[in-house]
Every structure is written in C-alpha cells, then in structure tokens.
Amino acid sequence: MGGGEVVGYVPRFVLGGLLVQLGAKFMWDWGIRGRRSLPSRAWLVVLAIVLIAAERGFLEAFLLGILAGCVIFAVDVSRIRVIRHQFGLDERASSVIRSTAESALLAEHGAQVQVLELSGYLFFGSAYSVQERVARLVTGSKPREVIFDFSGVTGIDSSAGACFAKIRDVLRQNGARQVMAALSPAAANVMSASSGLDDGVGRHDHLDKALEEAEETLLAARAESCGSRRSLTAWLEEALGSRGFAEELCAHLTPAPRDADSYLCRQGDPTDSLIFVERGPVTVILERPGLSSLRVRVFGPHTLVGEIGFSWTHRVRQACSPLPMPSCGFSAVANSKI
C-alpha cells in the first residue's frame, strides 16, 4: 500500500540470498522430495514447469501446468468404472411377486432388457465408455430395452449429455428403447439442454418402477403370442392336480373388494384368511409417520398373500374341515396395509 522506497535501502545481496534460499527450498521439496510423494506424471510436469519458467518465462510455465493438470485429471477420471453393474431381467427382477409361469417367461426372455447401473461423475471421458458399452451391447445381444440407473451418479456435464444423445440414436436405429431411472432434476436439465432427452425416452423416479414396466411390456408381448391369461380355476387345477379340488376350493372363496382405495388387510389384523390373487396388482404399502409411504412388494396374478401367523390357523382348519386343502407356501410381509 505504500513505502515501496524502503526496499531500496535493503542490500541487494540480502534480497538475492532470500531468493536463492526460497528457490533452493522449492527445488528440494518439489524436485527431490516430490519424486517419492508425487505420481510420475505429476513429477514430470513439475520438472517441465521449472525448465519452461527458466527458458521462456513464468506465464508460459503457469499455462503449461494448468493444461497438464487438466489432461491428467481427465485421463485419471476416465479410467474410473462408471458402469457399476450390468444385468438383465433374467438376473434381477422388480419387487413384483409373479406367478410361476410369468417367472419362467422372465427367466427365459429377461435378457432382452438390460440395465446399466451408473456411478460417479459423468463427463466426456466416462460417458464415452458408456457409449462404447452400449454399442457393443446392441451389436451382440440386441436388447429390446436398455435402462440406465442414475441413482449413483453425483453429477453430469453437457458433454455427457451429448454422448447420451448419441446413445439414444444408436438404440433407436437398432429398435431398442431407452429408459432413464432415478434421474435428478439437475441432470435432467443438462440432458435436455444437450438434446439427450425427448418424448421417446422413458423416465422413472426409481429403478424398481422401470423394472416393473419392462417386465409388463415383455410379458404382454409374450401373452399376445401365447394366448390369453389362464383363469383362477385353471391355475388352482394345476397347483392341486385335480379340477374337482380346484372347483370345490373356488366355491369356498369370497371375492375381495376391487376398489383401488380399499384394503384387503392391515398390520395387526387377525390372520384368519388367505388371499388368492386372480388379477393384480395387490400392493404392500408401509406407512411411515412423517414420511411418504413406501411400496414394499407387489403381488401379481396367480400368487398367494398371507402372513406367518396364518400357518397355525391353516393347520387347525385342515384338521377340522372335510375339504382337501392345498399345501401352500406363504409370503411373510412386514406391512401396514395391503
């Protein structure tokens, strides 16, 4: 702020000695000791900065250091595995409990839907690796749908959005649908600005909903080729091994309410009934005070809903009733309402 003329009274050899001391310390810390503490590439950049500063000037050396640091950062981050896991519907299904026949169809044809779980920060380097994986995927297994799970993504830039625009075009050219799951609002804005999102790209708040939709689409396509869905009597006939047993059991069943807002049972209710699901879905919802409701399970057609406590009631009635009862499995669910 002032008093600069005072420096003129300091002997030049003092200032020179100070500069030599500081320079020698920097050279020792970064040039000698840094060889053991710094990565090889960073240490070579330090030496290059020193040489360019001595030959060309400080500004040129400073710009070189900035540029080299950005390149090293991009290379290192691009080597991080941004695809945490890849699987198909034949390996992992949604929370929907399905019948034996539908589960068999999903196990046989579930590979037509592939899921890529992403993690970390997406930029041009890491997003390009996703683009290459998708290109190999459509060339090899030719899926009908590819779901991208963004629940583990911490951020995304415009270059990654441009990569996903190319991914969308590649999938459409190969007749596959693209679905985004757990995409944050900030990431969605970046993707939209980079033309990575349009009306043809599916979006879901959670991966489980995306898996459920993919299963329904796959099962609907198989149902058209395999015919209509079986009736309740046909399902029970297969389970009991006798049409007479199936018809007699159906005669003792009571239709459940079909209102979407009604409940079949609540937590704490007496476990004196067993629910045969003819048409679904039957949703298990966990009500949490102060929090939003949580969907725990969804039971589809031709499945059973019951609690552990019903097993004792089932045994007593089996001993006292002349009606032949099936040996059924029960699903234990920690729920507030069904």
Side-chain angles (χ1 to χ4, degrees):
M1 298 297 295
E5 64 276 2
V6 178
V7 181
Y9 295 100
V10 179
R12 292 185 179 181
F13 70 89
V14 175
L15 297 178
L18 178 61
L19 292 177
V20 170
Q21 180 186 9
L22 292 177
K25 186 176 187 306
F26 282 136
M27 290 295 295
W28 175 260
D29 290 341
W30 291 94
I32 306 301
R33 297 177 58 186
R35 181 65 184 91
R36 298 192 299 266
S37 59
L38 292 176
S40 299
R41 289 174 299 179
W43 181 71
L44 292 176
V45 170
V46 171
L47 294 184
I49 291 175
V50 173
L51 295 176
I52 292 178
E55 179 67 22
R56 304 287 299 182
F58 175 77
L59 181 60
E60 290 82 353
F62 176 77
L63 294 178
L64 172 70
I66 293 294
L67 179 60
C70 292
V71 171
I72 292 176
F73 172 78
V75 172
D76 290 342
V77 175
S78 63
R79 292 180 176 179
I80 299 176
R81 290 187 55 186
V82 67
I83 302 178
R84 183 170 53 190
H85 189 48
Q86 176 184 340
F87 60 90
L89 286 181
D90 54 339
E91 302 176 57
R92 173 182 169 186
S94 68
S95 61
V96 180
I97 307 299
R98 302 190 181 274
S99 65
T100 304
E102 290 181 339
S103 299
L105 282 175
L106 292 177
E108 182 179 358
H109 304 283
Q112 297 178 7
V113 178
Q114 292 293 315
V115 181
L116 299 180
E117 291 184 347
L118 308 180
S119 63
Y121 188 86
L122 299 181
F123 71 112
F124 68 92
S126 55
Y128 184 73
S129 64
V130 179
Q131 182 178 341
E132 289 183 327
R133 174 71 69 87
V134 173
R136 293 194 300 268
L137 188 62
V138 297
T139 303
S141 58
K142 300 184 182 300
R144 298 179 54 179
E145 183 173 319
V146 178
I147 302 174
F148 297 93
D149 180 19
F150 281 77
S151 58
V153 174
T154 58
I156 184 174
D157 66 0
S158 58
S159 62
C163 284
F164 275 95
K166 297 179 181 179
I167 291 174
R168 177 201 59 202
D169 297 337
V170 170
L171 291 176
R172 288 180 179 175
Q173 291 173 3
N174 290 270
R177 182 169 180 258
Q178 179 182 355
V179 178
M180 303 293 197
L183 190 64
S184 65
N189 293 334
V190 174
M191 297 277 284
S192 300
S194 305
S195 302
L197 283 180
D198 56 22
D199 296 336
V201 178
R203 289 184 58 183
H204 291 281
D205 295 334
H206 303 284
L207 176 61
D208 188 66
K209 293 294 294 183
L211 295 176
E212 180 183 351
E213 182 193 54
E215 291 174 356
E216 293 294 340
T217 303
L218 189 59
L219 291 174
R222 300 304 303 176
E224 293 178 359
S225 60
C226 298
S228 59
R229 182 172 288 173
R230 294 180 304 165
S231 64
L232 177 63
T233 305
W235 167 45
L236 293 178
E237 179 183 356
E238 179 183 356
L240 300 176
S242 169
R243 185 169 184 83
F245 287 170
E247 292 177 350
E248 190 171 0
L249 178 58
C250 289
H252 287 76
L253 298 180
T254 302
R258 298 184 180 182
D259 186 4
D261 297 329
S262 61
Y263 304 124
L264 298 178
C265 60
R266 290 177 177 269
Q267 182 177 1
D269 288 348
T271 54
D272 57 354
S273 62
L274 180 64
I275 302 172
F276 294 80
V277 182
E278 180 180 10
R279 290 183 299 273
V282 176
T283 305
V284 181
I285 301 176
L286 178 64
E287 293 180 334
R288 302 175 296 178
L291 299 174
S292 60
S293 300
L294 178 64
R295 189 182 78 165
V296 180
R297 282 288 186 274
V298 178
F299 290 84
H302 300 171
T303 57
L304 299 177
V305 182
E307 298 196 21
I308 295 178
F310 182 81
S311 59
W312 174 252
T313 307
H314 163 68
R315 293 174 184 173
V316 173
R317 289 189 176 181
Q318 185 179 20
C320 300
S321 174
L323 176 65
M325 296 292 291
S327 177
C328 302
F330 300 93
S331 299
V333 184
N335 65 288
S336 292
K337 60 184 180 182
I338 298 181

